[in-house]
Amino acid sequence: MWWKTISVILLVYVLGAGLLVPLKSGIQRAEPAYARTKQELTIRFYGYNTLFSHPSAEPLRVWLYFNDLYSLAAQRIDPVNDTILEATFVMPRNLPEGKESVYLNALIDHPATGASLLPAAIELRQDSGMVAVQLDSAWSAHPVGQVHVQTGFSFPYQNVIYESIRNTYFHVPMWFVLLFLFSASVWYSIRYLRNPAPENDRKAAAYAETGLLFGALGLITGMIWANYTWGKPWSNDIKQLMTAVALLIYLAYFILRRSFDEYEKGARLAAVYNIFAFASLVPLLYIVPRMFASLHPGATGNPAFGSQDLDNTMRAVFYPAIIGWTLLGFWIADLRIRYQRLHDKAIDLD
Amino acid sequence: MSITMQLLTFMPFRNMKFFKIRNFFILILFQAVYLPSTLAEGNRDYMRETGKINVVVAVILVIFLGIVWYLVRLERKLTKLEHLTKDDQ
């Protein structure tokens, strides 16, 4: 059928674009991470997907900046290779706002790959001794100027996550598929209570079963991703816990279905239970996680995404991914329904 | 845990039960868990190097295998149903 074709086309696009589109360039780390005032210091920046030593018409520029007002420009810039850059700074005599130590963000501007930022790249401490009252003029001598923006199709660079940002098109849609399938399931459960035809019960059960499959896949893939970004597969994150509870509630739905000898009685009770299960799914997945701190992005407020976490390039892959995976989920559920229909006919239930 | 060790844990070779589909899936699952450490040499971290791209590979593999596992289960149910209807005729 046409929507199955669309599912395949979308998923091929998602796999291709999701894996092949490059990441924007970024700064992984800076060495050393500490500096003192009045020191002349060469800092080594380690870039990701950068082209530091590629010849370009305009020069490379490097800043360490505290905020919009105070910034330091590099005196000398030597690219070692494409991913390593050495920049020499002369640290000023004192720190802005009379502070003892400040964290400075690093900003490298490249004409081709655009500007990349490393927050809190280096800690600058006030050297002991006499502190000048007047702020060193070096702080405002070279403000951060107009920087370049990388053009073309590329995904955002984020430290710690790196390439695994692509899991957004594989792990996250699992939860959308789960929601759509469970919604379809509860819809047919309500229909069964109004009209106890076996067809409605078959559909409710099949959608719940495939929804559970995608929920389990979402949980396992989440654990793999968490292992390499949060440090361990299970950190009792509020979303992980609530999802596990929701999946167990739906697991009980199938146990309930099978614990009755009489088909109609079991189907009826399962339909009622399904409505309660769906009613608890919504607070478990969408309300409770918003009330607690979470390791998931956009932790406070939105349990899944902050507006900064998805840029337009990612949207161009993420939305097709949701549609593609959802259609695939309904396709699998459709096979399950058709099997059950034949089965029920064979044992003269229908 | 080396690959040979993993194969040795699946000794029911003798009665050919090794080729049961469930064992095959368990073997793949073991591979998925231990492969990174099997491939790691010295201090190399197979999953964390090259920008953690292998985490994406693992996630896609798990989704693929999960869906295939479900389809295999469905196919077995269908086979049983086919035998059932064959007996009737």
Side-chain angles (χ1 to χ4, degrees):
Chain A
M1 266 203 301
W2 61 272
W3 54 274
K4 292 170 186 169
T5 321
I6 288 177
S7 151
V8 172
I9 292 169
L10 285 179
L11 286 179
V12 167
Y13 162 73
V14 165
L15 272 166
L19 290 175
L20 295 175
V21 170
L23 248 59
K24 285 195 171 62
S25 58
I27 316 168
Q28 284 187 294
R29 61 200 160 90
E31 275 176 16
Y34 300 99
R36 293 198 159 273
T37 48
K38 290 187 279 185
Q39 190 183 11
E40 189 183 305
L41 183 68
T42 302
I43 303 172
R44 213 165 225 250
F45 293 101
Y46 293 85
Y48 191 87
N49 276 2
T50 46
L51 298 169
F52 290 148
S53 58
H54 267 231
S56 52
E58 291 172 75
L60 257 169
R61 294 175 299 170
V62 183
W63 288 279
L64 288 175
Y65 74 94
F66 178 62
N67 57 21
D68 289 348
L69 295 174
Y70 305 118
S71 55
L72 306 168
Q75 309 276 314
R76 207 174 63 241
I77 298 164
D78 309 299
V80 177
N81 56 36
D82 270 345
T83 53
I84 298 177
L85 177 84
E86 286 185 344
T88 308
F89 292 87
V90 178
M91 297 302 170
R93 280 177 290 134
N94 54 6
L95 302 179
E97 296 168 12
K99 291 197 168 163
E100 286 284 296
S101 89
V102 287
Y103 280 99
L104 299 176
N105 311 316
L107 182 71
I108 300 178
D109 183 45
H110 188 275
T113 59
S116 20
L117 172 75
L118 179 65
I122 190 163
E123 188 187 2
L124 181 59
R125 288 182 190 148
Q126 179 68 56
D127 209 1
S128 53
M130 287 287 284
V131 179
V133 179
Q134 183 99 36
L135 184 65
D136 197 316
S137 61
W139 282 108
S140 41
H142 302 282
V144 176
Q146 194 73 36
V147 294
H148 296 84
V149 176
Q150 186 173 9
T151 50
F153 215 54
S154 55
F155 297 140
Y157 167 88
Q158 281 183 23
N159 269 313
V160 181
I161 294 178
Y162 304 121
E163 304 281 351
S164 75
I165 197 165
R166 300 170 198 277
N167 278 346
T168 312
Y169 318 125
F170 307 108
H171 160 73
V172 184
M174 296 294 120
W175 302 112
F176 284 83
V177 183
L178 168 134
L179 182 70
F180 290 133
L181 284 171
F182 281 174
S183 307
S185 173
V186 78
W187 168 253
Y188 281 105
S189 275
I190 294 168
R191 281 188 62 168
Y192 181 78
L193 289 176
R194 298 172 129 211
N195 167 29
E199 177 72 9
N200 288 334
D201 179 57
R202 276 197 288 266
K203 284 189 172 170
Y207 286 133
E209 193 177 299
T210 32
L212 203 59
L213 167 74
F214 279 90
L217 290 178
L219 204 64
I220 298 169
T221 54
M223 280 164 70
I224 296 173
W225 198 5
N227 195 23
Y228 298 100
T229 43
W230 301 343
K232 48 188 173 178
W234 196 271
S235 29
N236 282 341
D237 180 70
I238 189 76
K239 275 218 107 179
Q240 287 187 321
L241 284 173
M242 292 303 116
T243 310
V245 170
L247 292 185
L248 286 176
I249 289 173
Y250 269 88
L251 215 58
Y253 168 78
F254 292 101
I255 296 166
L256 186 73
R257 281 183 68 85
R258 279 166 207 164
S259 51
F260 290 91
D261 293 331
E262 214 177 313
Y263 168 76
E264 294 226 338
K265 202 173 165 189
R268 205 167 176 78
L269 262 163
V272 175
Y273 180 87
N274 196 9
I275 294 168
F276 281 107
F278 189 76
S280 67
L281 181 80
V282 175
L284 282 173
L285 294 191
Y286 302 97
I287 297 173
V288 177
R290 282 166 206 253
M291 295 160 66
F292 294 92
S294 168
L295 287 163
H296 276 87
T300 43
N302 188 324
F305 284 116
S307 53
Q308 311 95 312
D309 295 321
L310 264 188
D311 74 345
N312 283 332
T313 313
M314 289 190 77
R315 282 199 183 91
V317 185
F318 182 60
Y319 294 150
I322 292 172
I323 301 168
W325 286 112
T326 305
L327 292 180
L328 185 74
F330 274 87
W331 186 354
I332 296 171
D334 187 46
L335 294 181
R336 182 72 182 79
I337 295 163
R338 283 159 71 181
Y339 158 76
Q340 198 63 41
R341 207 177 282 146
L342 285 175
H343 174 267
D344 291 354
K345 224 166 235 159
I347 61 166
D348 292 325
L349 202 82
D350 202 354
Chain B
M1 202 168 175
S2 69
I3 291 176
T4 33
M5 272 298 287
Q6 289 174 40
L7 285 175
L8 283 174
T9 39
F10 290 90
M11 268 314 272
F13 268 132
R14 304 157 227 141
N15 43 16
M16 291 298 279
K17 272 189 180 159
F18 175 76
F19 294 102
K20 265 186 139 182
I21 201 117
R22 187 190 300 157
N23 285 356
F24 180 69
F25 269 99
I26 295 171
L27 183 69
I28 285 177
L29 210 71
F30 264 80
Q31 291 281 9
V33 174
Y34 287 107
L35 199 65
S37 53
T38 314
L39 292 173
E41 294 162 22
N43 287 329
R44 278 183 60 191
D45 190 335
Y46 189 71
M47 292 300 269
R48 282 184 182 82
E49 68 189 24
T50 53
K52 298 188 181 178
I53 187 70
N54 290 322
V55 178
V56 185
V57 174
V59 163
I60 294 173
L61 266 180
V62 164
I63 293 173
F64 176 71
L65 289 177
I67 291 173
V68 168
W69 169 78
Y70 188 82
L71 293 178
V72 167
R73 261 193 54 186
L74 194 60
E75 194 196 4
R76 292 173 136 207
K77 281 182 186 165
L78 271 171
T79 314
K80 263 187 209 161
L81 190 63
E82 276 173 344
H83 286 308
L84 198 76
T85 43
K86 222 174 244 169
D87 292 342
D88 288 348
Q89 283 162 4

